[in-house]
Amino acid sequence: AVTGTSSSQASLSWTDNASTETGFELQRKAGLDGTLPGQVEDYSGNLSHGSLMPSQATGPALQSGGYYQFDGVNDYIASVDDPADATGDITVALWMQAPTASSYQVLASKYKGTEDAGWIISILANGKIRVDGRTKAGTYYTTPESTSSVRDSQWHQVSFVRSGATWKVFVDGSLQSSSSRGAGSFGNSVSLEIGKMTGETVYYNGALDASRRYTRAFSAAEILSLFQAGRSAAVDAVSTSSQKIFHPMDAAPTDWSQLALPAANSTAHN
């Protein structure tokens, strides 16, 4: 039985007379619906939950500021397949904090060369942002680098917008590059991976937070509004109608916590 004792507490009790039981495990779910231990909640409502990789214990580490730290060795978050596909326009945004060490690293990707489709958002050795990708046209496209470097150990929002054949890169709400590239489909069969290049051993060393993906192209004003809403914004400053994935990354790494392991054949209260 569950009895509410206040707006934040409840008393739970049960009795089990089974002679074969050796104990019970009671777990508390802190996030929304559908996650399991080791998953990162998707708050978009599409259940595109991410998984801590290579495992719950050794994947990205949750920090007290409500973000994940990636080690640059084998840490990443893998999301599910289909909701991350995009045959048309797309917007991807995330917050990142990178140390000054210089090497090519990947912030997020959904790319498969053998399917000639997908995109890669990377931070170059000089600290600038670039987007690469294929759109089923037999061509590997590369955007111009961002004009500013983000390797300064400060928080920055990086956004990629594909509108028709125009690919745009934004940093902190400001347009940094715009170029004419492929207008075809990014859709492929691989997972969206945060902090890693899909299918490769190229990882990210630094902090990531609040990753989002949409199936439409944001305007410059919307990108600025999203940046101004801040890293800790629980919801967007713009319409969520096209939002497919939102990982705020501000809950516990598993969104679960063990509360009790009472003995068998007993009554427990918590």
Side-chain angles (χ1 to χ4, degrees), residues 61-270:
L62 181 74
Q63 306 299 304
S64 59
Y67 59 90
Y68 279 99
Q69 187 73 33
F70 295 71
D71 64 8
V73 178
N74 61 358
D75 282 358
Y76 67 103
I77 295 173
S79 194
V80 296
D81 296 343
D82 293 342
D85 280 342
T87 58
D89 293 345
I90 184 174
T91 298
V92 181
L94 54 81
W95 286 84
M96 51 82 64
Q97 182 189 55
T100 56
S102 59
S103 64
Y104 173 82
Q105 296 175 347
V106 172
L107 300 175
S109 66
K110 190 183 188 308
Y111 176 82
K112 191 168 184 180
T114 56
E115 295 183 20
D116 193 27
W119 50 265
I120 304 164
I121 303 175
S122 58
I123 177 172
L124 307 179
N126 61 9
K128 297 183 178 183
I129 301 299
R130 191 181 74 196
V131 176
D132 303 334
R134 292 179 177 272
T135 60
K136 299 186 183 295
T139 301
Y140 187 84
Y141 299 103
T142 298
T143 67
E145 300 173 7
S146 64
T147 56
S148 59
S149 170
V150 295
R151 283 197 180 278
D152 56 6
S153 299
Q154 302 299 311
W155 281 103
H156 298 278
Q157 188 187 62
V158 173
S159 302
F160 165 53
V161 176
R162 196 275 293 273
S163 177
T166 302
W167 295 22
K168 299 178 180 180
V169 175
F170 294 80
V171 176
D172 294 338
S174 172
L175 178 63
Q176 303 255 308
S177 78
S178 178
S179 54
S180 180
R181 298 295 186 264
S185 174
F186 280 136
N188 57 42
S189 62
V190 297
S191 298
L192 166 65
E193 295 184 344
I194 302 169
K196 178 181 180 291
M197 182 186 291
T198 317
E200 303 290 341
T201 56
V202 180
Y203 297 89
Y204 170 68
N205 177 28
L208 292 174
D209 196 6
S211 61
R212 308 168 188 261
R213 197 192 69 77
Y214 303 81
T215 55
R216 69 178 180 88
F218 274 26
S219 68
E222 288 175 318
I223 290 292
L224 180 60
S225 294
L226 195 60
F227 167 68
Q228 291 174 335
R231 183 170 63 88
S232 61
V235 296
D236 287 340
V238 297
S239 171
T240 61
S241 61
S242 61
Q243 189 178 68
K244 301 300 292 184
I245 293 176
F246 172 33
H247 296 306
M249 304 188 192
D250 57 359
T254 63
D255 281 338
W256 297 77
S257 61
Q258 181 176 294
L259 296 184
L261 285 172
N265 304 316
S266 65
T267 300
H269 299 271
N270 189 43

Side-chain angles (χ1 to χ4, degrees), residues 38-40 50-61 68 76-78 252-254:
Q39 289 188 318
V40 179
S51 297
L52 297 173
M53 303 299 288
S55 71
Q56 174 183 337
T58 61
Y68 279 99
Y76 67 103
I77 295 173
T254 63

